[in-house]
Amino acid sequence: MSAVLHNHHLFTSESVGEGHPDKICDQISDAVLDECLRQDPESHVACETFASQALILVGGELSTRAYVDVQKVAYDVVKRIGYTDPGYGLDCNSMAVLNMIHSQSSDINQGVAGNGLAEFKGLQGAGDQGMMFGFACRETEELMPAPITYSHSLMKKAAQVRKSGEVSWFRPDSKSQVTVEYEGCRPVRIDTVVISQQHDPGIPYEEIKSAVIEKIIRPVLEPTGLLDSSTQYFINPTGQFVIGGPVGDTGLTGRKIIVDTYGGMGRHGGGAFSGKDPSKVDRSGAYMARYIAKNIVAAQLAERCEVQLAYAIGVPFPVSVFVDTFGTGAAPDSVIAEAVKRVFDCTPAGIIRTLDLKKPVYSASASYGHFGRPEFSWEKTDRTQDLQKEIR
């Protein structure tokens, strides 16, 4: 087993709330994608959103029969998040929305549609080149790393407390960070919790700190049994957090790729997800890699596992499949990788078919992480017996 898994160490991951400026943009981009897929499941979409002050700019490329009212999509997302007050700087009722979407490049489309090189005629190719990673481990019930799982849970709770009115002076923007102490690959305690929660002006700091600890942190983290008397809490470390959202920081689609995945535990190929239809392997390949890694761990073939898939644009199969179990595998990594190739169809078309990715399911993934959530098809563990059989 790898020596790192025996070490006593700390590991930190962060999350951001749905009102964070980058997450506003992710949610709008995925809402545009979902509207396209709702009307036309064959849509090809690459949608990017930019937010600054009271301006939302939506751009990108579409190949679709759908009609999308971009202004309404942006309005609905911003309203749902809770930017409904002019005092927040961004207000759904008065913001400007610019639509700069145009048609998809025919050069890209011909490779995806199977009209590229002669040897690939009629076969759906990858929408781009690149490598994607999936990861799974036994640290949580979701087979996800503990730090990112707890960070997301804190942000979900913050939104719930805000939207329910339980704390009426919370505003939409927020960030969290959780540091977990490990013995080997086992979480043993939570060392540090950081939360920055936007709030109305004039709220005393001690009231802010008390509300965040008692209404968000303790309900979420005490059930883990990992808090102790030495756990450190840093709440709004700058002292106050009144100016937030796109007024405090410009937002852009695709800037929270580590928040979206595994919180830095495991590698990342660099491609963002939001606003991209499943022909883009940046997204679908990463979902497939997670699906494979989770099934490997669920099948008791490894304590933790990372899967890499790599593609070339227009090519209808992966150019490589790699499995790393960090020395925890029940069989050699090369043997597990060969089993993966036999059990899972990792062609772009096969991924879309296996995970049923032409449905409008993406808006929900645009905040609180794309993985570890049972509502998504790539979180199924339905191929464990097939993997075990292949290994035997």
Side-chain angles (χ1 to χ4, degrees):
M1 186 180 294
S2 173
V4 71
L5 299 183
H6 293 293
N7 290 343
H8 188 274
H9 63 280
L10 301 176
F11 194 91
T12 303
S13 296
E14 72 159 346
S15 180
V16 298
E18 61 192 56
H20 185 279
D22 292 332
K23 276 292 145 200
I24 296 171
C25 295
D26 286 344
Q27 290 168 89
I28 292 172
S29 293
D30 270 338
V32 170
L33 168 62
D34 275 355
E35 187 57 33
C36 288
L37 293 175
R38 187 174 290 110
Q39 300 178 45
D40 177 11
E42 302 304 318
S43 296
H44 290 166
V45 178
C47 180
E48 310 283 349
T49 302
F50 168 86
S52 182
Q53 301 272 1
L55 169 68
I56 302 292
L57 189 153
V58 184
E61 302 81 49
L62 298 184
S63 176
T64 182
R65 297 190 301 271
Y67 168 73
V68 181
D69 185 339
V70 172
Q71 282 79 10
K72 184 178 186 306
V73 168
Y75 169 85
D76 288 344
V77 169
V78 172
K79 181 180 180 181
R80 174 182 54 76
I81 292 170
Y83 284 101
T84 56
D85 186 329
Y88 296 169
L90 179 68
D91 173 24
C92 63
N93 295 298
S94 60
M95 66 187 185
V97 180
L98 300 183
N99 180 1
M100 301 297 289
I101 293 174
H102 56 88
S103 299
Q104 184 186 47
S105 161
S106 58
D107 291 345
I108 294 175
N109 187 64
Q110 69 178 6
V112 175
N115 299 321
L117 296 177
E119 61 264 41
F120 303 141
K121 286 290 184 183
L123 300 174
Q124 178 176 342
D128 202 352
Q129 69 177 45
M131 62 283 188
M132 302 85 216
F133 290 92
F135 184 83
C137 61
R138 294 196 180 283
E139 295 177 21
T140 63
E141 291 182 0
E142 300 88 353
L143 302 185
M144 284 285 288
I148 189 65
T149 299
Y150 300 152
S151 294
H152 286 324
S153 296
L154 291 170
M155 290 292 89
K156 289 180 186 177
K157 184 64 173 178
Q160 177 188 331
V161 167
R162 171 174 59 87
K163 291 181 175 182
S164 70
E166 186 176 354
V167 180
S168 61
W169 40 266
F170 276 1
R171 289 185 173 187
D173 200 355
S174 54
K175 299 179 76 171
S176 65
Q177 186 172 285
V178 177
T179 301
V180 174
E181 183 176 331
Y182 284 82
E183 288 182 1
C185 56
R186 183 173 66 91
V188 294
R189 61 181 293 273
I190 294 173
D191 183 81
T192 307
V193 181
V194 182
I195 290 187
S196 294
Q197 174 61 54
Q198 188 187 17
H199 57 86
D200 287 348
I203 309 299
Y205 177 76
E206 288 304 319
E207 185 176 352
I208 297 168
K209 182 176 180 180
S210 176
V212 169
I213 292 176
E214 299 303 325
K215 301 292 187 180
I216 300 174
I217 295 175
R218 294 203 184 281
V220 170
L221 297 183
E222 279 189 342
T224 69
L226 298 177
L227 295 178
D228 62 25
S229 59
S230 298
T231 300
Q232 303 178 84
Y233 302 99
F234 296 103
I235 312 302
N236 286 15
T238 61
Q240 69 173 18
F241 183 13
V242 174
I243 300 172
V247 176
D249 189 13
T250 300
L252 192 65
T253 298
R255 281 206 297 212
K256 287 292 177 281
I257 60 176
I258 302 303
V259 170
D260 285 345
T261 52
Y262 309 100
M265 190 174 292
R267 286 167 283 195
H268 197 294
F273 301 156
S274 290
K276 297 178 181 177
D277 75 87
S279 72
K280 280 74 172 174
V281 286
D282 275 346
R283 184 170 214 160
S284 57
Y287 290 173
M288 191 65 170
R290 163 64 178 173
Y291 177 54
I292 295 168
K294 188 175 183 182
N295 273 271
I296 289 171
V297 172
Q300 310 289 325
L301 296 177
E303 289 293 310
R304 56 179 48 209
C305 179
E306 185 175 73
V307 172
Q308 185 202 54
L309 304 176
Y311 295 87
I313 188 168
V315 177
F317 49 80
V319 297
S320 71
V321 177
F322 174 74
V323 173
D324 186 354
T325 63
F326 308 95
T328 70
D333 291 348
S334 58
V335 173
I336 298 176
E338 289 302 315
V340 164
K341 293 175 187 177
R342 293 190 292 270
V343 170
F344 297 94
D345 183 351
C346 293
T347 64
I351 293 171
I352 291 171
R353 182 171 56 251
T354 298
L355 301 181
D356 196 15
L357 294 179
K358 291 186 178 182
K359 293 182 176 180
V361 299
Y362 298 102
S363 291
S365 72
S367 50
Y368 312 120
H370 293 245
F371 304 121
R373 300 168 59 181
E375 64 265 35
F376 297 131
S377 60
W378 48 92
E379 292 294 317
K380 296 182 298 183
T381 54
D382 56 345
R383 305 308 300 273
T384 56
Q385 292 184 0
D386 296 328
L387 281 168
Q388 291 167 342
K389 181 180 178 181
E390 288 293 336
I391 295 297
R392 286 196 298 267

